[in-house]
Amino acid sequence: MNLKYTTLICFFLLGLFTSCTYSGSETPKSSTATLETLIKSYEERESYDKTAYPLGLFTKEYYKSEASYAEDQMQYFDRIQMDELNETEQISAQLLKFVLHDKINFYRFEQYLNPLLSDAGFHSNLNYMVRPFTNYEQVKVYLNKLNALPDFVDQHFVNLREGLEKGVSQPKIIFNGNESTYDTHIVENSEDSFFFSPFTSLPNELTEGQKDSVLAAAHEAIAQHVIPQFKRIKVFFETEYVPKTRTTLGVSETPNGAAYYQNRINFYTTSDSYSAEDIHQIGRKEVARIKAEMEKIIDDLGFEGSFADFLQFLRTDEQFYAKTPNELLMIARDISKRADAQLPKFFKTLPRKPYGVAPVPEAIAPKYTTGRYVGTSVNSTDPGYYWVNTYNLPSRTLYTMPALTVHEAVPGHHLQGSLNNELGDSIPKFRRNLYLSAYGEGWGLYSEFLAEEMGLYTTPYEHFGKLTYEMWRACRLVVDTGIHAKGWSRPQVVQYMTENTALSLHEIHTETDRYISWPGQALSYKIGELKIRELRVLAEKELSEKFNIREFHEIILGQGTVTLAILEQRVMDYIKKIQNG
């Protein structure tokens, strides 16, 4: 960070401090005004020069400045009296504190030294910026990003090397097959690069001369920056990072790892009331409950054999697998449209943003999960996308497609995320794109439960698929804590998942690597879903015939992303309001 920029930040923070400090003769600001000042500071803060760093800034100095800023802001919350705020303001105050705490913890635990996951990373995340162009400005922004790759890679190499020295790195075992994340982008001709694909269909508003200039610039950027940087990445991983990274598995075995894991538990559950052992036992209990339901379906089908035999049948019988990628996509689209038709019965407010169903890009598919939702900003002209992984079709089970689809598309992530974006000025800007896994993934898993009421599981096998996805999330509570707090080995995790879920073996292996590389995140799904279902049962019991499913969902979704504690308070207030007439 240059001196001029540092000086500007100092003056900015000094100005904020002055504006929030009251003299004896000054009338103290109201709690609402103080909160508005904090939110405005957070939203308008330019933490780095986005023109100079179009792909972002990732230096240690940057993360230190972010943490320092957050610590400075935290002191002003003592001046806010929560009972003086309305509900939306109270939620905004709690969420801003949560976000600022995480910025402090990000630097405290040096998370920037480890920008890698088993299915994602600083380099593979670049694939997400490849989208069709709709105007000339998008073309120029994209070219600037391509040309910024050398500095982007340099910054991450500095962090990764420091992480290796300190033992803050990913386990070697998750890098099997990692070469696909960079080899795909090492091509002879720029036209063959995945990053060139948007240039094959330029917007009509460009003149022929502009198109010629853009194509020349694209060839140059890819030939001189993109391909050479992926060659550097290949050399770095294969000769430096992977040979030197740790062979231990759980994050608790890294420096300060036990404290870091507890911090991640707190973050991903949005609560400080759970220990690793608490979550492990919740998982064991859920696994036993769900397994009993699965065994009932097996009995009802008249299947002759053990639970393990039935899972083997599901994994190997051809009737449960698509023959072609297009067939899998067509099935996903059919389920999506059937889900769309049910939405008005269950929701008062529906999003304006549409979504599409598309395959996971080939460059990342081998190590990618079965499906995922990829959203857009509220002002984007792009739709959201439900990505379906068509790689290795014998691992993509059809009986789990309804559960996957409702989780990723509607009423899951697309509906919830789009409604969050479309809340507009009713909530502060920082909340419109806020994502907390306990809420977002909890809602996604609740959507799988809701899909049963929507009539989307049409065969016993699809009902079993719904249960195996629920079992999968319950198993996560057991294996995530097993890996990161109890010293479980990778074979232990694979065995536990194989014995208790009907996931394909390929999925089990990719998921196991994900849990190893992303401590705590897998806990959020089941913890969040359990809370939402608990609150629904409570509302149904307390309100009896006055319970309305559309109104209940409006309460769950109406303030956008929140912590589970905030969500519980909203439901309690809703129950009291209805009871009091």
Side-chain angles (χ1 to χ4, degrees), residues 2-71:
N2 62 46
L3 181 60
K4 179 180 178 182
Y5 185 59
T6 305
T7 303
L8 286 172
I9 287 180
C10 291
F11 276 117
F12 177 82
L13 292 176
L14 179 61
L16 177 63
F17 179 83
T18 302
S19 68
C20 291
T21 302
Y22 314 125
S23 65
S25 60
E26 187 180 22
T27 303
K29 286 187 175 182
S30 69
S31 293
T32 295
T34 301
L35 177 62
E36 287 174 350
T37 299
L38 291 169
I39 291 173
K40 183 177 181 181
S41 168
Y42 180 78
E43 291 182 342
E44 296 184 356
R45 181 171 183 259
E46 293 290 339
S47 56
Y48 67 91
D49 186 343
K50 292 180 174 61
T51 302
Y53 301 101
L55 288 171
L57 188 60
F58 304 93
T59 63
K60 181 177 183 177
E61 292 75 16
Y62 166 73
Y63 292 112
K64 182 178 181 180
S65 71
E66 288 290 281
S68 296
Y69 168 78
E71 288 173 344

Side-chain angles (χ1 to χ4, degrees), residues 275-503:
S275 68
E277 183 61 28
D278 293 334
I279 290 176
H280 193 82
Q281 294 306 321
I282 292 171
R284 293 269 188 192
K285 182 178 179 181
E286 281 291 283
V287 166
R289 178 187 64 80
I290 298 164
K291 192 165 188 176
E293 294 186 36
M294 298 170 86
E295 287 174 335
K296 184 179 184 305
I297 291 178
I298 296 172
D299 290 342
D300 291 345
L301 283 167
F303 181 82
E304 296 182 2
S306 66
F307 186 82
D309 292 335
F310 187 73
L311 297 189
Q312 182 64 15
F313 162 64
L314 292 179
R315 292 188 181 116
T316 56
D317 195 294
E318 290 186 0
Q319 68 176 301
F320 300 121
Y321 298 90
K323 302 295 188 296
T324 67
N326 279 340
E327 181 186 359
L328 185 61
L329 290 170
M330 287 176 65
I331 291 170
R333 288 173 181 139
D334 174 70
I335 297 167
S336 298
K337 292 308 296 179
R338 287 195 284 121
D340 286 345
Q342 295 297 314
L343 296 180
K345 298 178 185 177
F346 293 86
F347 299 93
K348 294 177 69 174
T349 306
L350 297 176
R352 295 187 299 274
K353 175 83 73 174
Y355 69 96
V357 181
V360 172
E362 291 182 9
I364 58 176
K367 293 277 284 182
Y368 209 70
T369 51
T370 303
R372 195 168 294 183
Y373 177 67
V374 181
T376 61
S377 65
V378 66
N379 294 321
S380 172
T381 57
D382 292 325
Y385 275 103
Y386 162 35
W387 275 3
V388 178
N389 200 332
T390 58
Y391 172 82
N392 191 9
L393 286 177
S395 71
R396 311 301 173 192
T397 50
L398 294 180
Y399 53 84
T400 58
M401 283 303 293
L404 175 69
T405 300
V406 298
H407 183 110
E408 302 297 344
V410 297
H413 290 322
H414 174 72
L415 184 140
Q416 180 271 314
S418 296
L419 287 178
N420 199 133
N421 283 339
E422 293 170 14
L423 284 171
D425 292 339
S426 66
I427 61 172
K429 184 170 64 176
F430 86 91
R431 288 177 52 191
R432 290 172 215 160
N433 292 313
L434 179 63
Y435 189 79
L436 300 176
S437 290
Y439 177 83
E441 299 300 347
W443 174 260
L445 185 48
Y446 170 78
S447 295
E448 297 174 30
F449 161 78
L450 186 63
E452 188 153 2
E453 298 175 52
M454 299 170 81
L456 296 176
Y457 304 117
T458 59
T459 70
Y461 298 109
E462 290 180 348
H463 281 280
F464 195 90
K466 175 256 184 188
L467 289 174
T468 203
Y469 262 33
E470 187 181 3
M471 175 69 91
W472 172 25
R473 279 46 169 263
C475 286
R476 286 175 172 179
L477 303 185
V478 178
V479 300
D480 193 286
T481 52
I483 294 165
H484 298 294
K486 291 178 171 290
W488 279 29
S489 67
R490 191 178 187 281
Q492 276 182 280
V493 175
V494 171
Q495 180 180 355
Y496 191 85
M497 297 285 287
T498 303
E499 290 175 350
N500 290 291
T501 77
L503 296 175

Side-chain angles (χ1 to χ4, degrees), residues 16-150:
L16 177 63
F17 179 83
T18 302
S19 68
C20 291
T21 302
Y22 314 125
S23 65
S25 60
E26 187 180 22
T27 303
K29 286 187 175 182
S30 69
S31 293
T32 295
T34 301
L35 177 62
E36 287 174 350
T37 299
L38 291 169
I39 291 173
K40 183 177 181 181
S41 168
Y42 180 78
E43 291 182 342
E44 296 184 356
R45 181 171 183 259
E46 293 290 339
S47 56
Y48 67 91
D49 186 343
K50 292 180 174 61
T51 302
Y53 301 101
L55 288 171
L57 188 60
F58 304 93
T59 63
K60 181 177 183 177
E61 292 75 16
Y62 166 73
Y63 292 112
K64 182 178 181 180
S65 71
E66 288 290 281
S68 296
Y69 168 78
E71 288 173 344
D72 287 341
Q73 293 292 88
M74 291 298 294
Q75 64 183 306
Y76 301 117
F77 282 93
D78 291 339
R79 301 180 180 180
I80 295 175
Q81 300 298 316
M82 294 294 283
D83 58 1
E84 295 178 5
L85 305 177
N86 63 35
E87 184 192 23
T88 297
E89 291 169 341
Q90 290 176 3
I91 292 172
S92 295
Q94 293 175 73
L95 291 176
L96 184 57
K97 285 182 71 173
F98 190 90
V99 170
L100 292 171
H101 269 302
D102 194 52
K103 283 185 176 292
I104 295 167
N105 287 325
F106 193 90
Y107 179 72
R108 173 191 169 198
F109 289 105
E110 300 183 307
Q111 290 175 251
Y112 57 91
L113 299 182
N114 191 12
L116 300 170
L117 297 173
S118 64
D119 62 353
F122 74 98
H123 62 301
S124 56
N125 288 345
L126 294 167
N127 291 287
Y128 290 101
M129 71 181 186
V130 180
R131 289 177 176 265
F133 301 130
T134 59
N135 57 61
Y136 194 18
E137 183 61 29
Q138 291 178 351
V139 175
K140 290 185 285 187
V141 168
Y142 182 68
L143 280 170
N144 287 338
K145 289 181 176 180
L146 296 182
N147 288 320
L149 249 65

Side-chain angles (χ1 to χ4, degrees), residues 82-310:
M82 294 294 283
D83 58 1
E84 295 178 5
L85 305 177
N86 63 35
E87 184 192 23
T88 297
E89 291 169 341
Q90 290 176 3
I91 292 172
S92 295
Q94 293 175 73
L95 291 176
L96 184 57
K97 285 182 71 173
F98 190 90
V99 170
L100 292 171
H101 269 302
D102 194 52
K103 283 185 176 292
I104 295 167
N105 287 325
F106 193 90
Y107 179 72
R108 173 191 169 198
F109 289 105
E110 300 183 307
Q111 290 175 251
Y112 57 91
L113 299 182
N114 191 12
L116 300 170
L117 297 173
S118 64
D119 62 353
F122 74 98
H123 62 301
S124 56
N125 288 345
L126 294 167
N127 291 287
Y128 290 101
M129 71 181 186
V130 180
R131 289 177 176 265
F133 301 130
T134 59
N135 57 61
Y136 194 18
E137 183 61 29
Q138 291 178 351
V139 175
K140 290 185 285 187
V141 168
Y142 182 68
L143 280 170
N144 287 338
K145 289 181 176 180
L146 296 182
N147 288 320
L149 249 65
D151 184 53
F152 173 80
V153 172
D154 285 343
Q155 290 181 54
H156 281 96
F157 280 3
V158 170
N159 293 337
L160 287 163
R161 286 177 174 128
E162 185 177 345
L164 284 173
E165 291 176 7
K166 292 183 173 181
V168 182
S169 63
Q170 291 289 7
K172 183 177 294 187
I173 200 167
I174 72 161
F175 290 100
N176 294 328
N178 184 59
E179 60 275 3
S180 64
T181 64
Y182 43 79
D183 280 348
T184 303
H185 300 302
I186 300 173
V187 294
E188 290 294 326
N189 301 308
S190 55
E191 295 95 336
D192 297 327
S193 171
F194 176 61
F195 293 96
F196 187 83
S197 56
F199 296 106
T200 60
S201 181
L202 292 171
N204 292 329
E205 70 179 59
L206 273 69
T207 66
E208 289 304 313
Q210 287 174 326
K211 289 181 180 179
D212 289 342
S213 297
V214 165
L215 289 175
H219 283 293
E220 182 178 355
I222 292 171
Q224 294 189 11
H225 297 308
V226 177
I227 297 172
Q229 292 309 309
F230 277 98
K231 288 179 178 178
R232 287 182 66 206
I233 290 167
K234 176 182 176 69
V235 171
F236 174 76
F237 275 116
E238 296 182 0
T239 67
E240 189 171 347
Y241 191 88
V242 175
K244 294 180 181 179
T245 197
R246 64 189 175 98
T247 56
T248 55
L249 209 64
V251 74
S252 295
E253 298 179 73
T254 64
N256 206 25
Y260 175 60
Y261 186 51
Q262 183 61 55
N263 177 267
R264 292 299 84 193
I265 290 174
N266 296 350
F267 176 78
Y268 285 117
T269 65
T270 67
S271 169
D272 59 4
S273 61
Y274 298 102
S275 68
E277 183 61 28
D278 293 334
I279 290 176
H280 193 82
Q281 294 306 321
I282 292 171
R284 293 269 188 192
K285 182 178 179 181
E286 281 291 283
V287 166
R289 178 187 64 80
I290 298 164
K291 192 165 188 176
E293 294 186 36
M294 298 170 86
E295 287 174 335
K296 184 179 184 305
I297 291 178
I298 296 172
D299 290 342
D300 291 345
L301 283 167
F303 181 82
E304 296 182 2
S306 66
F307 186 82
D309 292 335
F310 187 73

